[in-house]
Amino acid sequence: MKKIVALFVFIICLLALVLSSSDAGMRKLTKERYAGTGILHSDKYAFGDLYGLSYLPEFRIAKQEKFTEVPAGLPAEKDLDLYVVGDSYLYSYLDTVPDYYARVNKLDFRRWEHVPVRAEGFTSGRKKVLLIESVERNIANVILLERIRAVFEPTPPPVLPWWEQWNETIKSALYHPNLEANLEFTLFNLALFSPIKELKATWNDRVFGRLAHEVHRSKSGDHLYMHETVDVHEKGSSYREISDDEVVGTLRKMEEIQAFYLSKGFDLVLFSFMPNPVSLLEAEKGNEFLSRIQVAGAGKLMIIDPSERLKLNASHYFYQSDSHWNQRGARVWLDQLNEVLRSVQK
Amino acid sequence: MVFNSLQFLVFFGIVTSAYYLVAHRFRWALLLFASCYFYMAFMPIYLGILGFTIVVDYFAGIYLERFEGATKKWCLALSLVANVGVLAIFKYYGFLTDNLTGVGHLFGMEFNFPALKILLPIGLSFHTFQAMSYTIEVYRGHQKAERNFGIYSLYVMFYPQLVAGPIERPQNLIHQFYEKHTWDTDRVKLGLLQMAQGFFKKVVIADRLALLVDTIYGDLGSQSGGSLILAAIFYSFQIYCDFSGYSDIAIGAARVMGFNLMENFNAPYSAKSIPEFWRRWHISLSTWFKDYVYFSLGGNRVSVPRWYLNIMIVFVLSGFWHGASWNFVIWGALHGGFQLAGLTINRLFPSLAADAQSGISLWMYRLWTFSLVTLAWVFFRLPHFSDIRLFFRGLSEPVGVGTLGLKPAEIGFSALLIIGLLIYDIRGKLRSKYFMWLMPIFIACIYFFGVFSLKQFIYFQF
């Protein structure tokens, strides 16, 4: 009996280790966990990413899973190719099909981790428009020409001394870099455990006033924000003091990127930055980074800033327990983009 | 691989179950392989350093047994030089060259020592001292030289105590690798309970206290005297729970497989004098210094000034063992100074000796000892003299808890945990018969009250 128990423990632990060390295994598991419902599936993101980080039960608010509806009444003419480099503000809310966009015949969507977009591969005579999109909190990380250029013109990795090579080889062969997170996912990312996680989150919140460190609760208490968007020490914070020099510096980087892509064969480069939800929902002490970029960049760059339109009814356009906008918010931006696309010169 | 991680729990499950599944003759190989895997999770290349000391000391042991007289002494000296040499290169080189450069500047000399861009191998001081205790014991004739290279390697590398002790003696550990351990339910339960107790101390108490301590020590300049005193007291318990928690997990993990490691702590904050504190704190290190340094210097069987000098040497070395930095040396010297002051008072006024106290005065002695230990921890915690100055300057600021947003509930809960710990230290004892209700309580408390930050154990840096 003791041997059987030992064998059982051995197999379970070994399976968990092998599965969590395998990228293919984790991809399969992730897909299966998020595909279904029930206690053996994951509900981590079903109620918003910030609920999944905080597990505060009062923010267990169901999210709409469907993509934003395709707008009606777009022009029949399809004379543009649209290339997009963007983040989850787009790919989680808009299906990657050209039907959403005015005049767009072909859509090439890339996530930020897969830049660059190359225009060379397309031989059509249509105008090539590049849209560069990022959420406000990520601007400093992604608006960097070096990052983009490095993919176009890769430099060979530095040659390490033999002992460091040996070290890296062994380490990557034996220990998956995300092993701890993968194990946590494999063993505990199940709806079965959510009530226990909620109980712990409630205890920490009510007794110590402590939330998960990635999360911050709004002053009114009815929204959650990413902590980095309110922490004045973080680069992506809406409350960090930003000097005019920094705004000019960001513009300079955007101009460099625009010039770079124009030289690579694009006809038009558009920028669009999505405001941190807190920038609109609690705007009184914000740094107004996006509007300052918009004003300073006027005439030099084409920037689509949805802030003004979203601000009109901000709480209508953002989830309470998610760091993103909702489908309505995405639609506001989409309409604004389509106005710009309609006006692109033939 | 840190103990307070899921990786370790899965690793522990695999290794322990495999240990009971494989035949006895293969178990040492299984443990050696597992220990290599455990150690390489930090930095695979450093297995080479461990390998070097293992090879040197393995052959040194054999030759120490074979030779007599001066050759034997040379053999021991070579082994010790090799071990201390590894420490000197990887741990003390930067400290020594920085200080030599500084002294050179004072005399107008310019030294250009090459910089070694190396990380300190994890647990280096622990396994080096354990390896040294083997050759010294073989030299003294207390231990036979180990012929099986694998078993000797396992003695140095046994994963539960590889990176932060307890620093074992060969007489206690090596023979256990030859013993056939069968499943003993009571022993397994006790081992698991001790591990749970260690996790509780680490993630519920130490890492919770660290939230408060790090906040205060991270901004010394704007603290009131009350905050600084609070941080100093909390740090005393943080480091105790951090290190004794590690030791509990190590001892418990070994016990589940049938191994008995030496206890490392015995309610240190109930000590009524500094010498007693050192009989209760990091016992495996303090006995190491007593056995191999203090007695070798003559112990107390010498003139009084020489005796005092011996004590001071041991404590300064102990401080230096902890880290290549002056604050550790000062920490050791402070403890040495406390010892000497206590000894002198005891000699002059025997009625004041701690052992002669009872009732209220006993508790006053305990409080006084705790205060001295806490004062010394300030030097241990703060590596820079500028910070130490800020700390003591801040003590004169108006008393009151600071303004860094420390929540009263957090402070109160931490204080409650500390009181519970002190009572448990004096009164409590784990028993396997309570396993069925104690284990779920431990697990629930660890989950609900634990702070899961994957924070390294403080003593890993040594």
Side-chain angles (χ1 to χ4, degrees):
Chain A
M1 184 61 190
K2 282 158 196 162
K3 290 257 177 197
I4 292 171
V5 172
L7 190 63
F8 179 74
V9 172
F10 180 78
I11 290 170
I12 294 291
C13 291
L14 194 65
L15 270 179
L17 182 66
V18 170
L19 181 61
S20 304
S21 301
S22 150
D23 285 329
M26 286 309 294
R27 270 197 299 273
K28 195 158 183 271
L29 185 69
T30 307
K31 206 173 163 188
E32 278 175 12
R33 285 268 170 95
Y34 288 128
T37 52
I39 56 168
L40 294 180
H41 288 88
S42 174
D43 59 358
K44 189 174 170 74
Y45 296 118
F47 306 99
D49 54 5
L50 299 176
Y51 165 79
L53 290 170
S54 67
Y55 278 101
L56 289 172
E58 61 268 36
F59 287 96
R60 195 179 167 89
I61 305 162
K63 258 184 84 177
Q64 195 185 326
E65 293 294 333
K66 281 190 277 184
F67 286 121
T68 305
E69 275 183 39
V70 173
L74 294 179
E77 189 184 21
K78 304 283 183 192
D79 59 345
L80 303 176
D81 282 344
L82 179 64
Y83 304 79
V84 183
V85 185
D87 58 23
S88 52
Y89 263 71
L90 299 189
Y91 63 73
S92 296
Y93 296 86
L94 304 167
D95 201 358
T96 46
V97 291
D99 309 15
Y100 283 99
Y101 307 98
R103 295 171 58 190
V104 170
N105 182 286
K106 187 159 194 168
L107 174 74
D108 184 339
F109 184 91
R110 304 290 171 99
R111 297 183 183 198
W112 267 108
E113 52 271 34
H114 303 306
V115 288
V117 173
R118 289 175 183 273
E120 293 92 320
F122 296 90
T123 51
S124 77
R126 294 181 289 271
K127 266 198 160 175
K128 299 173 186 68
V129 180
L130 173 65
L131 169 68
I132 294 174
E133 178 273 330
S134 166
V135 64
E136 182 183 354
R137 65 184 152 86
N138 257 343
I139 290 176
N141 297 327
V142 297
I143 300 299
L144 293 170
L145 181 59
E146 309 85 81
R147 184 189 149 104
I148 293 163
R149 197 195 291 272
V151 189
F152 275 92
E153 299 149 10
T155 47
V159 180
L160 298 171
W162 67 266
W163 61 87
E164 285 188 33
Q165 284 180 29
W166 186 84
N167 205 45
E168 290 308 311
T169 309
I170 299 275
K171 195 141 193 171
S172 56
L174 290 179
Y175 312 95
H176 191 281
N178 297 325
L179 184 55
E180 189 67 17
N182 288 354
L183 279 170
E184 192 177 347
F185 183 90
T186 305
L187 298 172
F188 300 115
N189 194 351
L190 295 165
L192 173 71
F193 295 117
S194 294
I196 304 170
K197 292 176 184 175
E198 287 184 357
L199 197 61
K200 176 172 177 163
T202 306
W203 158 266
N204 277 332
D205 180 29
R206 301 268 164 84
V207 179
F208 303 122
R210 180 150 41 84
L211 307 182
H213 64 90
E214 303 96 335
V215 176
H216 178 89
R217 196 200 305 261
S218 68
K219 264 191 297 191
S220 61
D222 53 8
H223 276 86
L224 293 178
Y225 305 130
M226 296 285 283
H227 187 262
E228 64 175 291
T229 63
V230 295
D231 182 343
V232 293
H233 300 107
E234 294 284 344
K235 272 194 294 192
S237 169
S238 300
Y239 295 154
R240 182 171 66 93
E241 204 173 304
I242 290 180
S243 65
D244 289 340
D245 285 349
E246 193 173 337
V247 173
V248 171
T250 305
L251 275 178
R252 197 179 309 122
K253 287 175 189 167
M254 291 164 67
E255 284 174 304
E256 283 171 3
I257 290 173
Q258 175 177 259
F260 179 79
Y261 273 117
L262 290 176
S263 75
K264 291 288 176 188
F266 288 96
D267 299 302
L268 177 65
V269 178
L270 306 173
F271 290 90
S272 185
F273 299 127
M274 310 311 187
N276 297 330
V278 69
S279 298
L280 303 184
L281 290 161
E282 289 182 32
E284 56 281 7
K285 53 178 180 172
N287 54 29
E288 305 203 327
F289 187 37
L290 297 190
S291 58
R292 289 161 72 188
I293 289 179
Q294 177 84 15
V295 170
K300 295 181 235 169
L301 296 159
M302 284 195 74
I303 304 170
I304 300 161
D305 180 7
S307 302
E308 286 306 315
R309 295 185 186 193
L310 293 170
K311 204 186 281 182
L312 296 175
N313 193 358
S315 59
H316 184 63
Y317 296 127
F318 288 94
Y319 282 116
Q320 286 169 271
S321 55
D322 198 280
S323 62
H324 300 84
W325 53 25
N326 56 27
Q327 280 72 3
R328 291 187 293 268
R331 180 58 188 267
V332 168
W333 172 83
L334 184 62
D335 289 345
Q336 194 176 352
L337 171 69
N338 280 334
E339 285 168 22
V340 174
L341 291 177
R342 280 174 208 263
S343 67
V344 170
Q345 276 191 340
K346 294 196 176 180
Chain B
M1 194 182 302
V2 289
F3 277 175
N4 52 331
S5 66
L6 288 172
Q7 290 179 62
F8 174 73
L9 286 184
V10 169
F11 168 85
F12 172 75
I14 292 172
V15 175
T16 308
S17 51
Y19 184 78
Y20 283 111
L21 287 170
V22 302
H24 171 64
R25 65 180 183 279
F26 299 124
R27 283 179 174 175
W28 69 265
L30 168 78
L31 287 180
L32 185 59
F33 176 78
S35 300
C36 288
Y37 181 83
F38 178 85
Y39 191 71
M40 286 198 301
F42 298 109
M43 186 77 111
I45 191 84
Y46 284 163
L47 196 63
I49 299 166
L50 213 50
F52 170 75
T53 50
I54 287 171
V55 169
V56 168
D57 293 329
Y58 171 75
F59 286 107
I62 291 171
Y63 287 117
L64 278 167
E65 208 171 55
R66 194 174 291 171
F67 297 129
E68 285 299 331
T71 319
K72 189 177 179 180
K73 278 189 178 161
W74 272 107
C75 213
L76 176 68
L78 278 175
S79 153
L80 295 183
V81 165
N83 284 288
V84 174
V86 168
L87 269 180
I89 293 169
F90 287 94
K91 185 163 181 173
Y92 298 109
Y93 177 82
F95 174 77
L96 291 173
T97 53
D98 284 353
N99 281 283
L100 281 174
T101 307
V103 172
H105 275 306
L106 287 178
F107 295 99
M109 290 185 285
E110 200 66 46
F111 296 120
N112 282 315
F113 297 104
L116 291 182
K117 289 176 187 162
I118 42 177
L119 280 175
L120 176 66
I122 201 145
L124 182 68
S125 302
F126 286 94
H127 51 71
T128 305
F129 267 40
Q130 181 151 322
M132 283 161 73
S133 77
Y134 168 77
T135 47
I136 296 170
E137 293 296 347
V138 174
Y139 174 81
R140 289 178 175 177
H142 299 158
Q143 170 69 35
K144 278 188 170 179
E146 178 54 51
R147 258 48 189 193
N148 183 329
F149 183 73
I151 295 281
Y152 176 70
S153 305
L154 186 55
Y155 161 72
V156 179
M157 294 195 62
F158 187 42
Y159 88 82
Q161 39 91 241
L162 171 60
V163 289
I167 303 167
E168 274 298 344
R169 306 296 188 276
Q171 302 96 308
N172 182 41
L173 191 56
I174 288 180
H175 70 90
Q176 295 191 54
F177 296 126
Y178 287 102
E179 289 166 5
K180 186 174 180 179
H181 300 132
T182 51
W183 178 278
D184 174 341
T185 305
D186 278 346
R187 194 196 59 225
V188 170
K189 283 179 180 172
L190 202 59
L192 290 174
L193 279 178
Q194 191 159 8
M195 288 179 78
Q197 173 181 286
F199 285 120
F200 183 90
K201 283 183 183 172
K202 169 65 178 164
V203 299
V204 179
I205 308 182
D207 288 353
R208 176 178 297 279
L209 292 174
L211 293 175
L212 301 164
V213 172
D214 292 349
T215 306
I216 295 172
Y217 277 119
D219 189 8
L220 284 168
S222 52
Q223 297 300 319
S224 68
S227 295
L228 294 171
I229 291 169
L230 187 76
I233 293 171
F234 277 4
Y235 183 69
S236 295
F237 287 99
Q238 182 200 338
I239 193 167
Y240 170 47
C241 289
D242 193 281
F243 193 18
S244 72
Y246 176 90
S247 296
D248 282 340
I249 299 169
I251 294 166
R255 182 169 282 160
V256 172
M257 293 186 286
F259 295 92
N260 287 314
L261 300 182
M262 67 191 294
E263 289 296 333
N264 223 6
F265 293 88
N266 179 19
Y269 293 143
S270 68
K272 51 192 180 294
S273 66
I274 293 293
E276 189 188 350
F277 172 78
W278 279 103
R279 289 195 293 274
R280 292 168 174 272
W281 176 273
H282 202 176
I283 298 165
S284 64
L285 180 71
S286 46
T287 51
W288 196 100
F289 272 108
K290 188 179 78 182
D291 292 345
Y292 304 130
V293 182
Y294 181 65
F295 288 155
S296 301
L297 291 170
N300 60 358
R301 294 178 178 180
V302 287
S303 65
V304 171
R306 180 59 203 268
W307 177 30
Y308 278 29
L309 180 66
N310 290 348
I311 289 172
M312 207 59 187
I313 289 172
V314 166
F315 276 98
V316 169
L317 279 180
S318 162
F320 203 46
W321 175 89
H322 281 85
S325 174
W326 282 109
N327 65 308
F328 291 116
V329 177
I330 292 172
W331 172 78
L334 268 177
H335 272 278
F338 296 154
Q339 288 259 21
L340 298 186
L343 277 175
T344 309
I345 293 169
N346 287 353
R347 283 162 59 84
L348 295 174
F349 311 102
S351 63
L352 291 179
D355 291 336
Q357 310 306 315
S358 62
I360 297 284
S361 66
L362 176 69
W363 284 97
M364 296 301 289
Y365 271 62
R366 282 180 168 157
L367 191 62
W368 175 242
T369 304
F370 176 75
S371 306
L372 292 179
V373 171
T374 298
L375 172 71
W377 284 132
V378 173
F379 292 85
F380 193 94
R381 174 64 173 74
L382 297 172
H384 304 297
F385 287 115
S386 52
D387 288 339
I388 293 170
R389 250 199 315 273
L390 267 180
F391 180 92
F392 287 105
R393 196 181 295 156
L395 285 180
S396 62
E397 295 296 317
V399 174
V401 175
T403 54
L404 279 174
L406 299 181
K407 304 221 164 40
E410 194 93 66
I411 295 172
F413 188 64
S414 300
L416 213 62
L417 286 169
I418 287 171
I419 292 167
L421 175 79
L422 288 173
I423 295 169
Y424 176 76
D425 257 3
I426 295 170
R427 300 263 171 175
K429 190 169 187 233
L430 290 175
R431 289 180 211 280
S432 61
K433 64 179 177 182
Y434 302 140
F435 181 84
M436 291 310 280
W437 63 267
L438 207 49
M439 199 63 180
I441 291 176
F442 263 134
I443 292 173
C445 288
I446 289 167
Y447 179 71
F448 282 107
F449 306 136
V451 176
F452 295 94
S453 53
L454 285 181
K455 207 174 164 64
Q456 277 275 24
F457 287 87
I458 296 171
Y459 264 68
F460 270 30
Q461 62 184 300
F462 308 134

